[in-house]
Amino acid sequence: MCVVCADVEPTTLLEQLISHGILIDTGIDGIYGRSGVFEDVIARFEDLVTRTGAEGANPMAPEVMRFPPAMNRFHFERSGYMKSFPQLAGTIHSFMGDDRGHFDLLEKLQNNEDWTGQQKTTGVVLTPAACYTLYPIVAKRGPLKSDGALFDLQSYCFRHEPSKDPARMQMFRMREFVRFGKPKQVQTFRAAWLEKGEVMMKKLGVPVHVDLANDPFFGRSGRMLKNNQRDQGLKFEMLIPIESEEKPTACLSFNYHQDHFGTTWGLIDADGETAHTACVGFGLERVALALFKHHGLDVDAWPKSVRKALWG
């Protein structure tokens, strides 16, 4: 059923975005089409992220990589994602039957019955985070150089959490800078981005607040992992009110993985020790939504300072 009906005045942010044609309703919560206006805002923000990343004394030039929204299933399984976040994962299945099986499938479709019995897992899964595709690629290259490595990533990602909250999409894009190296190198990188990220977002005229955070680990053991992550200060998020003032949305995240991915993938630094990693992630749709929320649905009417930061 359509989210916004013609005779009902749109009240929520999602309804307003769809009514104005900025997002496009597909009939599934968390799966939306994007208008040209929405895409232009994201493109301009990505340009700002790139420029901000190049600021500072002796910035390291990142290697740029862009990935599709699917990844190697074996790499996904080895990553440990299913151990921590099984509730968010999306796997890709395809029909693996014969002619008779195809006939049965069509018959079930005709009768509105469950037709998925002969669907089997394929060699790919939906990408849960942009950086998950990267780690085995870097490991395959061998030991890092003395100054480590830095990568600039972007990918569509999937997380199974359907919601009427437009900031909690099931399919969304994540931009990331991922740093590999020694503990001091990657911690310095994260600390620098905590400062640069806050300055960058304040240029966009949105209210921001940085807070200690944790990932949504699953189950009883997940509660311990959440506490450990917070106790060690491994994750910070930049929060902006979008759907709720009381529960602002994480739009940027700053993560120190310690040697977790180094151990998982055999990442080695220049001295033969297990490499550490850190990343800063930008939820592109969430940032765009924050801008529409706080500056209105007409981008031409946004504050001059915001337009200058984005469009120059």
Side-chain angles (χ1 to χ4, degrees), residues 149-186:
L150 176 65
F151 296 88
D152 173 348
L153 311 180
Q154 199 249 58
S155 175
Y156 259 102
C157 303
F158 174 86
R159 292 179 188 171
H160 181 246
E161 43 184 356
S163 171
K164 294 291 187 185
D165 179 353
R168 196 161 293 281
M169 295 185 182
Q170 295 196 74
M171 189 71 78
F172 57 92
R173 277 161 293 186
M174 186 182 294
R175 176 80 178 268
E176 288 191 50
F177 289 111
V178 188
R179 185 73 164 94
F180 294 70
K182 293 187 172 297
K184 185 176 181 180
Q185 290 173 326
V186 301

Side-chain angles (χ1 to χ4, degrees), residues 5 65 84 89 98 128 131 134 164 214-215 255 261 285-286 295:
C5 299
M65 295 184 179
S84 299
D98 54 16
C131 59
L134 176 65
K164 294 291 187 185
N214 60 263
D215 289 309
N255 309 283
F261 290 113
E285 279 81 4
R286 287 184 174 185
H295 300 314

